[in-house]
Amino acid sequence: MAACTNPTKEAPVGTYYDLKSYVEQQIGQLKSQHPTVVKQAGFGNEKEQQTTKDIDWSRELDLFLQADINKQAYQASYQKLRPDSLTYEYTLKPGEKLPVRFLRIELDSVTREPRLVKATLRTKNSLYESERNVWLQSEKGVLKRYHIEGFQQLAWLDQKRFLIDGQIRMP
């Protein structure tokens, strides 16, 4: 019977910080407020900057949802560290092969909501390798900036670096 359970279900409350709920709440807030974003995007040596209000927030912040480790299958896969009462840090244990290698969440001392989220996601197999280093900053529970950088590489091609940096300006 245990083999029939869904291994990607969320872990019991309190196992890891609930990053998914926080990011989903931010996505909802951003969709309703339509802020202006100064966005820099780059792939390889090409970079461009634009100012826009036209952002698909679910897609834009998807890697932060992917950085959520609160899944039952991940329950024993991370070393937990609490450097202080406002910081959660999770590092993938040696021998584990999950995409989220590292996750750090720093809470605001007043709101107790994340003020900084940092994560490293890595995928590697015989054909493909990628690494994404992501972080976001919030002030008083409102997302102000997000940053995604890393590389992708197919086994037979050169490594391609990418960057996305968004500064959010609320109306």
Side-chain angles (χ1 to χ4, degrees):
M1 192 69 157
C4 296
T5 61
N6 181 355
T8 59
K9 280 194 313 194
E10 290 189 6
V13 175
T15 301
Y16 301 120
Y17 188 87
D18 187 6
L19 180 60
K20 180 181 176 189
S21 292
Y22 174 73
V23 174
E24 286 175 342
Q25 178 249 334
Q26 290 297 312
I27 289 170
Q29 194 174 329
L30 291 163
K31 282 180 177 179
S32 68
Q33 293 177 337
H34 302 291
T36 299
V37 178
V38 177
K39 183 176 174 180
Q40 183 181 48
F43 193 70
N45 293 326
E46 305 288 318
K47 283 190 180 139
E48 65 178 51
Q49 183 171 316
Q50 65 177 338
T51 301
T52 183
K53 287 181 167 240
D54 186 26
I55 301 250
D56 177 346
W57 288 108
S58 295
R59 190 171 156 200
E60 194 78 356
L61 299 179
D62 182 60
L63 278 175
F64 294 95
L65 289 172
Q66 289 180 38
D68 179 56
I69 60 173
N70 230 1
K71 296 175 177 66
Q72 196 167 17
Y74 294 7
Q75 220 173 12
S77 299
Y78 291 90
Q79 296 171 339
K80 301 176 199 177
L81 183 63
R82 292 293 306 269
D84 57 57
S85 64
L86 299 173
T87 306
Y88 295 84
E89 200 169 280
Y90 309 104
T91 305
L92 191 63
K93 290 180 179 176
E96 295 287 340
K97 297 194 183 318
L98 297 173
V100 179
R101 302 302 170 115
F102 174 80
L103 175 62
R104 180 182 176 99
I105 300 166
E106 296 177 14
L107 304 181
D108 180 276
S109 61
V110 176
T111 65
R112 296 282 188 202
E113 294 216 4
R115 66 173 189 80
L116 179 68
V117 174
K118 287 183 171 185
T120 299
L121 296 93
R122 189 171 181 82
T123 305
K124 185 175 183 174
N125 60 42
S126 59
L127 299 175
Y128 175 79
E129 181 176 0
S130 77
E131 182 172 291
R132 286 98 50 215
N133 293 295
V134 301
W135 57 263
L136 59 77
Q137 290 177 311
S138 300
E139 286 178 24
K140 298 178 184 147
V142 178
L143 186 61
K144 294 292 184 190
R145 187 170 180 194
Y146 60 96
H147 184 90
I148 301 164
E149 69 177 287
F151 69 86
Q152 301 178 81
Q153 183 172 14
L154 292 172
W156 56 90
L157 296 175
D158 290 339
Q159 187 181 92
K160 292 287 186 183
R161 300 205 61 78
F162 60 86
L163 163 81
I164 296 171
D165 188 82
Q167 295 184 29
I168 301 166
R169 309 239 160 86
M170 286 296 174

